[in-house]
């Protein structure tokens, strides 16, 4: 029941009046049937050595809970039911990214192939709902050169607005220069990379997994926060000064740690504790304010949002819902009752996203 | 040169006028010569299977850097030079705790013995500077019954105000009920446990260590934040509802995650993802506001302090310097220029600590 109004680029108003801005949700997930089937096969055959993947997808693909079944259904739904959920929650546009860990658990040829086919599928959905959906390119870090090419194809041929990377690739992180063809491509194309969480890698998960804390409750933030910090301390932003990385969950707590990151990075480098940790051109917090944008996916909480706006800047914080993992139709209305000014709400919900993703 | 004024309980005023409150620094470190010698032996003999310990103490005990040599010197200094540093930074009292990982890397009999001897040594220092020093009891979780007894001895015979525990004990965490004799003793004695960071445990450190992020820059927070969250989700506060835990570094970022912790704990429990994760009597955030106090050790940064005061309550946030690891004489004066009211500064620097530690 996609009405012409629904397809017009404005959500059907939910209860409450329309605000003077669009609401662009910037970290919204989807999945192809083929990818989920590959996940099922890997779990059934035990062919993957990644305890975080087994914990996460073993749960979602087998649990009869309403949470798991809703998420598996909606991840694969790119038609009218998704649009209706957007309308019900007042979301005008979703920026869509292949759900975590995407292709980053496959062997390289499979990963390259699944990235391409899923991008084609996403491009079809965007063509069907051009005012409601925005696509991000899935790429396979397992083959950085192919990943760079696929990002270029996504941007130039499919109209995508950046790349999605789901934290580590079977324990490897993007601070390793072997992956930097991807950064070079993103910088050259002037599109952002969205660094989305993954379950903690094998060397980082054991006590979290033993306590049921490996998922979104805590482990995601540990892995992705470390990943972003590692990218910064590797000097990647000195090498690629125009590279833009978008991080969800209000920056995976790095904004909270900003003072300590600066203090301890300086202390660690100057004391030469690690011979491989080199001085950077700027402070850690400078990269957080100049190369990084954050979204509030999973953090529909005004105090933390406003803290981040205060310490990073009003232009650095974007709205995200984290659909379908955190589908809360009432959330937008509730958050618009926050003490943010009308002008700042417009930045948060609309114009920051338009600038970062060049919509 | 400990003048009578110096020993009066008020610090010699640094540049700037005296405020109308004491300044009590609540997470200040010290070490015995004997313990550091045991650390040296363990490192030399390679008898410890804890990569975080090797990284941390291998650095401090061998680095010629000004940072490492100052810290090793001052950790062991309990006389006039420490008092002079306190005076220079305007600190009236230090709450003193055996530095991390304390006795938690020894075999059980050694740990019990070193805890006792270090507590006796600390009690001597407190007797010498009774208005400037407050002691916390070192205890050995390797023997929970002895730890409970030593905490009782510390409080009843040595005048100590609580226990210090340095996160994990060779990979074991206090959410395991085998340690709960310690919680029972702290609750019965009505004294807090200070949960101080340790380097991440063996199962949590590999990618952090490989990047030089295992220390105070990030790894400490990962390990200790997980530890506190694990204590909460284990139900320990339902079993010991009056137990008080104090956590440094502004709560190791859990205040920032408060919304997500509640949301995802509820979602995880209700979806039965882990059969061992049981419902709690309250929300995660309730325990953070009712059983946990936080200090700003290592986080001399008004925006994050005020965010925590806003979301946890003005009575829950205490001042700490993290001496000698983060000795910044100018810090107090700078922070007192923050927008906090005079009444709230008094809570932060003085009265919250007096209440939590019953000074």
């Amino acid at each position: 029941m996609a009405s012409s109004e629904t397809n017009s680029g404005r959500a059907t108003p939910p209860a409450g009046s329309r605000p003077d801005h669009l609401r662009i949700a910037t970290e919204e997930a989807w999945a192809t049937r083929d990818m989920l089937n590959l996940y099922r096969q890997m779990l059934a055959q035990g062919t993957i050595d990644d305890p975080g993947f087994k914990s996460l997808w073993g749960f979602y693909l087998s649990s009869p809970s309403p949470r798991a079944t809703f998420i598996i259904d909606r991840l694969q739904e790119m038609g009218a039911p998704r649009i209706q959920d957007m309308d019900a929650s007042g979301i005008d546009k979703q920026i869509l990214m292949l759900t975590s860990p995407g292709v980053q658990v496959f062997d390289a040829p499979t990963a390259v192939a699944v990235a391409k086919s899923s991008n084609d599928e996403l491009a079809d959905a965007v063509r069907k709902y051009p005012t409601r959906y925005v696509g991000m390119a899935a790429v396979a870090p397992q083959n950085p050169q192919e990943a760079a090419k696929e990002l270029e194809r996504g941007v130039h041929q499919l109209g995508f607005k950046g790349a999605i990377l789901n934290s580590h690739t079977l324990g490897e992180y993007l601070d390793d220069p072997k992956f930097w063809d991807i950064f070079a491509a993103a910088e050259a194309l002037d599109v952002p990379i969205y660094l989305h969480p993954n379950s903690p890698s094998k060397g980082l998960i054991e006590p979290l997994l033993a306590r049921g804390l490996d998922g979104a409750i805590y482990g995601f933030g540990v892995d992705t926060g470390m990943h972003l910090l590692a990218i910064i301390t590797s000097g990647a932003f000195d090498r690629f000064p125009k590279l833009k990385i978008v991080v969800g969950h209000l920056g995976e707590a790095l904004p909270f740690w900003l003072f300590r990151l600066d203090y301890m990075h300086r202390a660690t480098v100057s004391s030469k504790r690690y011979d491989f940790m080199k001085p950077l051109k700027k402070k850690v917090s400078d990269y957080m304010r100049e190369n990084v944008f954050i979204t509030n996916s999973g953090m529909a909480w005004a105090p933390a949002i406003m803290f981040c706006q205060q310490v990073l800047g009003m232009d650095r914080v974007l709205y995200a819902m984290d659909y379908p993992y955190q589908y809360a139709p009432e959330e937008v209305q509730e958050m618009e009752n926050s003490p943010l000014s009308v002008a700042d709400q417009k930045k948060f919900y609309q114009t920051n996203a338009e600038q970062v993703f060049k919509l």
Side-chain angles (χ1 to χ4, degrees), chain A:
Chain A
M1 199 203 71
S3 68
S4 62
E5 184 189 356
T6 291
N7 209 355
S8 71
R10 285 237 102 158
T12 306
S17 62
R18 276 290 336 172
D20 186 29
H21 56 251
L22 293 180
R23 299 190 191 102
I24 304 172
T26 57
E27 189 204 286
E28 315 307 305
W30 80 292
T32 70
R33 266 158 246 281
D34 289 348
M35 187 178 83
L36 295 189
N37 282 334
L38 286 172
Y39 286 1
R40 281 190 191 91
Q41 277 176 33
M42 292 164 74
L43 290 165
Q45 295 166 358
T47 49
I48 179 163
D49 182 28
D50 183 342
F53 177 82
K54 290 182 198 169
S55 171
L56 187 70
W57 284 99
F59 166 70
Y60 279 123
L61 290 172
S62 71
S63 168
S65 67
R67 174 168 170 79
T69 50
F70 173 81
I71 286 170
I72 293 297
D73 176 69
R74 285 304 204 273
L75 278 172
Q76 301 172 84
E77 177 54 70
M78 297 295 273
R82 179 180 286 256
I83 298 289
Q84 284 159 17
D85 283 350
M86 292 169 64
D87 288 348
S89 48
I91 302 299
D92 296 289
K93 284 181 203 287
Q94 284 192 341
I95 298 190
L96 286 157
M97 32 196 85
L98 194 62
T99 200
S100 183
V103 303
Q104 292 170 242
V105 284
F106 304 134
D107 62 70
T110 306
V112 169
V114 175
K116 279 186 187 166
S117 61
S118 72
N119 287 335
D120 289 337
E121 208 173 307
L122 179 58
D124 285 343
V126 175
R127 269 189 290 272
K128 195 166 169 200
Y129 297 100
T131 63
R132 306 303 297 274
Y133 293 164
V134 174
M136 295 286 278
V139 299
Q142 294 93 325
N143 185 331
Q145 294 73 31
E146 282 298 320
K149 276 193 223 164
E150 182 62 10
L151 175 54
E152 195 176 343
R153 184 181 82 98
V155 172
H156 284 159
Q157 295 179 35
L158 305 179
F160 291 165
K161 301 301 183 183
I164 166 70
L165 284 164
N166 293 295
S167 198
H168 70 87
T169 303
L170 293 172
E172 295 193 307
Y173 293 84
L174 300 167
D175 58 331
D176 186 332
K178 79 177 184 182
F179 294 117
W180 289 5
D181 280 357
I182 305 172
F183 290 166
E187 191 186 49
L189 292 161
D190 193 21
V191 295
I193 291 173
Y194 202 111
L195 187 71
H196 183 282
N198 189 352
S199 298
S201 62
K202 205 176 154 187
L204 196 60
I205 201 173
E206 187 252 304
L208 293 161
L209 190 59
R211 290 162 177 81
L213 303 177
D214 51 306
I217 190 172
Y218 192 69
F220 282 12
V222 167
D223 192 84
T224 317
M226 184 202 78
H227 198 161
L228 178 60
L229 181 56
I231 290 170
I232 293 171
T233 60
S234 74
F237 290 119
D238 287 341
R239 174 90 171 274
F240 305 104
K242 293 187 177 166
L243 178 62
K244 291 176 287 190
I245 294 192
V246 187
V247 185
H249 313 97
L250 290 178
E252 310 295 351
L254 294 199
F256 185 82
W257 288 118
L258 224 48
F259 175 90
R260 191 160 170 80
L261 296 176
D262 281 345
Y263 186 102
M264 286 298 167
H265 185 260
R266 194 167 53 234
T268 308
V269 169
S270 68
S271 69
K272 300 186 168 41
R273 177 165 168 183
Y274 307 93
D275 56 10
F276 55 81
M277 192 180 266
K278 300 298 180 201
L280 299 171
K281 288 188 183 165
K282 304 178 191 172
K283 290 185 293 181
V284 172
S285 60
D286 292 332
Y287 302 102
M288 286 295 296
R289 292 188 181 105
E290 294 169 20
N291 295 92
V292 175
F293 294 83
I294 69 172
T295 81
N296 81 316
S297 54
M299 299 278 273
W301 189 39
I305 294 167
M306 296 177 77
F307 167 78
C308 291
Q309 289 169 327
Q310 179 193 356
V311 302
L312 296 181
M314 195 55 75
D315 297 335
R316 314 303 290 186
V317 187
L318 288 63
Y319 172 69
M321 176 175 272
D322 213 351
Y323 178 92
Y325 292 100
Q326 232 158 315
Y327 178 51
E330 68 289 1
E331 162 187 306
V332 171
Q333 209 72 48
E334 280 172 16
M335 286 218 303
E336 284 176 358
N337 295 330
S338 84
L340 273 193
S341 72
V342 169
D344 291 340
Q345 293 218 16
K346 186 159 185 156
K347 288 185 173 191
F348 176 66
Y349 282 107
Q350 176 182 346
T351 56
N352 290 349
E354 288 173 341
Q355 281 167 26
V356 175
F357 295 97
K358 296 195 288 176
L359 304 183

